[in-house]
Amino acid sequence: MKIGIKDIAERAGVSVAAVSLALNNKQGVGKDTRERIIETARELGYPLPGRLVQEEQQRTIRFLKISRHGHTVNLDHEYFIAEYLNGVMDSAKLHNMTVEIESCPTEVPLEDILEKVVNSPGIDGYVVLATELSRSDIQAFLATEKTIVFIDAYIYSVSADYVNMNNMDAVYKVVSYLQELGHRRIGMLKSSISTENFLLREQAFSRSMHSLELELHPEYILDVDSTFSGAYTDMAAHLQRGVNLPSALFATNDIIALGAMKAFQEYNIRVPEDISLIGFDNLSMSEVASPSLSTVNVPKRQIGQVALDMLYLKLNHTTTRAPMVNLISTELVKRESVAIYTPS
């Protein structure tokens, strides 16, 4: 369908005359209205006159992929992170912005990263992958006074701009689904590795169990490492000492679930016949596992898009704007690793 100035006027909430004046670079339209019309035209795919594209300042933003300990920002999650970046690139194209990508591995001190942020005058703003960042790390970034949006984390005690998945809603869906299948003894595979999302999911599990009037058994909360090999080793150690297992386990992420699944198979514990298992993230390897892993799908690309949109608003806002938090809803993916509970 061909887009016309009437479509732009309706979307932007202005008159057709105002659109005509703005697109022809004529007087009679305020600066804010003009910018809104041009942005709306771009979003709708309307071909802008070359002079408008040239006159609009092209901004450069930097996507910082930071690994502080490497237990979650690693090769196992490359696809996950790439989808965040694809979303950032999608929105950057709409906003006529250039994106630079910088990876900061574990051996790079945070002080060096921050120094580069402070001393990069050509960068207008940052989207920071905050998966492994602590409360003090976030505060250190904010102290640079640069324009920043953090993704894959939300620290409620630090006021900043965040885009994250809705962990509370996601975990409630998991526990509710298991309850619907007859499970009452539900446990969790958690990890003490320091990430804010892990902590949020652990808190959400406890609250969801309480909300659904399910008894929370401390012995069913098992701590394992967050890498595949670490989760396998730790789960095998739990099994070797004769841990009492529930009928279903929710794992903090897919990597933990898959590592545990390997240990279960070696100890002849069948999934889902003996124990149901569900993860979080919907990594590609979860679908091809045997059995395929039930999990929570995170709209990764959308998170990246929203982050860049928020950054664009911050950069183009002439007055001080309060920080925003966007929590994106998730979807439960039902596969073979979860079964209806049948008492033995």
Side-chain angles (χ1 to χ4, degrees), residues 158-300:
V158 182
S159 183
D161 288 272
Y162 300 98
V163 188
N164 199 22
M165 70 285 298
N166 190 334
N167 284 290
M168 179 59 71
D169 176 65
V171 177
Y172 183 86
K173 289 175 183 175
V174 168
V175 178
S176 179
Y177 170 56
L178 293 172
Q179 184 187 49
E180 288 171 6
L181 294 181
H183 295 277
R184 295 296 179 270
R185 295 180 298 113
I186 303 171
M188 181 178 183
L189 288 174
K190 55 167 272 189
S191 180
S192 55
I193 296 300
S194 178
T195 75
E196 190 65 21
N197 278 333
F198 283 4
L199 177 60
L200 290 172
R201 288 168 202 169
E202 186 178 350
Q203 294 171 344
F205 179 76
S206 177
R207 293 177 184 176
S208 296
M209 292 287 285
H210 177 75
S211 177
L212 293 166
E213 299 182 347
L214 293 167
E215 186 175 356
L216 188 65
H217 297 272
E219 66 268 29
Y220 295 152
I221 310 298
L222 303 176
D223 199 331
V224 298
D225 187 67
S226 62
T227 63
F228 177 83
S229 60
Y232 158 70
T233 300
D234 290 345
M235 191 68 239
H238 285 306
L239 296 174
Q240 188 172 22
R241 67 177 175 83
V243 67
N244 186 25
L245 292 174
S247 66
L249 276 170
F250 161 60
T252 302
N253 69 11
D254 286 356
I255 296 298
I256 289 174
L258 294 170
M261 186 185 293
K262 180 183 177 184
F264 289 146
Q265 291 169 344
E266 290 193 2
Y267 278 78
N268 297 316
I269 298 171
R270 300 168 302 167
V271 177
E273 293 86 354
D274 299 323
I275 188 167
S276 288
L277 185 63
I278 186 165
F280 198 113
D281 284 343
N282 194 25
L283 300 180
S284 56
M285 62 188 78
S286 301
E287 187 173 6
V288 298
S290 182
S292 58
L293 181 67
S294 295
T295 185
V296 173
N297 183 58
V298 176
K300 301 168 281 293

